[in-house]
Amino acid sequence: MCCSQAFTLLTFLLVFHLHTIQCVSRIKFTNLQCVALDKPFADFAYCKLKALARDKVALSLRVKLFQVPVNNVSLNVESFKKYNGYRPYLVNVTTNFCDFLRHKKRLAFLDIIFQFLEKYSNINHTCPFDHDIIVDKLILMPKYFSMLPVPAGEYRLRIVVGAYNDWKAVVNIFVQIWE
Ligand SMILES: *[C@@H]1O[C@H](CO)[C@@H](O)[C@H](O)[C@H]1NC(C)=O
Ligand SMILES: *[C@@H]1O[C@H](CO)[C@@H](O)[C@H](O)[C@H]1NC(C)=O
Ligand SMILES: *[C@@H]1O[C@H](CO)[C@@H](O)[C@H](O)[C@H]1NC(C)=O
């Protein structure tokens, strides 16, 4: 375990203990932004939210990969919480995504996200990726976060995806949480 991972885990445990009483009761997407940084490599065919009911907002996106197979994927996931503006909050992990896919339990935070993300996407396999990346009508449910009690508020999750040591895309996911 490298230092930053150990630190993330420590922060995670600390926050977990401070908030053991609080639980997510409602959660939904409020906004979504996708930016392709290297369009000859990959671009978004679509990236959208659709409100289905009061607490049901579905996230769908499709990334077209133009230089397949992709054998080297890195990921930086950083979470922010809104006070006056969005400030870094709790998590900032950078990882070799191909390694993560082989050993998911090593990164607790990503594993929690991946456990529900994989149900709505076609990324549940090890590298390489030689097809479009699709997330289809992902809806957040409070039960997905039973392992991650977080205080009520507005959050931003910034996911930066890279390949071959070069950042290729940024996805900003805005979420509101009620306790
Ligand atoms: C989060 O991690 C990325 C990549 O290591 C780094 O560029 C960024 O500055 C970090 N953010 C904060 C708030 O430390
Ligand atoms: C994803 O892959 C893992 C390992 O192959 C498997 O255990 C899991 O059931 C898969 N999940 C889905 C939703 O297909
Ligand atoms: C693959 O990505 C990792 C970082 O995730 C990097 O250290 C490594 O050098 C990359 N390999 C190639 C061939 O680009």
Side-chain angles (χ1 to χ4, degrees):
M1 192 183 281
C2 74
C3 270
S4 72
Q5 279 172 342
F7 181 74
T8 302
L9 188 63
L10 203 69
T11 317
F12 182 85
L13 291 175
L14 194 66
V15 170
F16 184 80
H17 280 287
L18 291 175
H19 296 288
T20 38
I21 307 154
Q22 293 155 329
C23 252
V24 174
S25 72
R26 289 171 59 202
I27 180 165
K28 72 170 182 184
F29 294 119
T30 54
N31 199 1
L32 176 68
Q33 299 163 349
C34 300
V35 180
L37 304 174
D38 180 0
K39 289 187 178 176
F41 182 85
D43 202 359
F44 292 90
Y46 52 82
C47 159
K48 61 188 179 186
L49 294 181
K50 186 174 184 201
L52 305 177
R54 194 174 72 127
D55 286 345
K56 274 192 170 178
V57 178
L59 182 158
S60 299
L61 63 81
R62 181 175 193 128
V63 183
K64 299 183 91 62
L65 297 177
F66 301 117
Q67 293 171 31
V68 294
V70 179
N71 257 307
N72 188 297
V73 184
S74 35
L75 212 59
N76 169 247
V77 180
E78 186 168 5
S79 56
F80 302 80
K81 187 173 191 300
K82 193 173 182 182
Y83 297 93
N84 288 322
Y86 284 93
R87 309 241 186 94
Y89 181 81
L90 191 60
V91 171
N92 188 10
V93 284
T94 301
T95 187
N96 180 324
F97 190 61
C98 294
D99 279 352
F100 167 77
L101 289 168
R102 281 191 300 250
H103 313 282
K104 291 176 190 160
K105 300 295 167 204
R106 280 190 199 163
L107 274 177
F109 175 77
L110 260 192
D111 191 41
I112 290 171
I113 295 180
F114 205 78
Q115 274 178 21
F116 62 84
L117 177 63
E118 68 182 14
K119 294 185 196 144
Y120 301 88
S121 77
N122 64 349
I123 60 176
N124 191 25
H125 63 76
T126 49
C127 292
F129 286 92
D130 59 0
H131 55 76
D132 288 5
I133 307 299
I134 299 170
V135 177
D136 190 40
K137 300 189 200 75
L138 164 61
I139 294 168
L140 295 176
M141 311 229 198
K143 67 176 180 198
Y144 298 155
F145 302 91
S146 55
M147 294 294 291
L148 185 72
V150 279
E154 290 176 71
Y155 293 85
R156 168 160 79 100
L157 199 63
R158 189 187 66 193
I159 301 174
V160 189
V161 187
Y164 309 104
N165 289 330
D166 192 24
W167 298 118
K168 303 295 188 188
V170 183
V171 178
N172 273 296
I173 300 170
F174 296 81
V175 168
Q176 184 151 14
I177 291 177
W178 294 265
E179 275 160 17

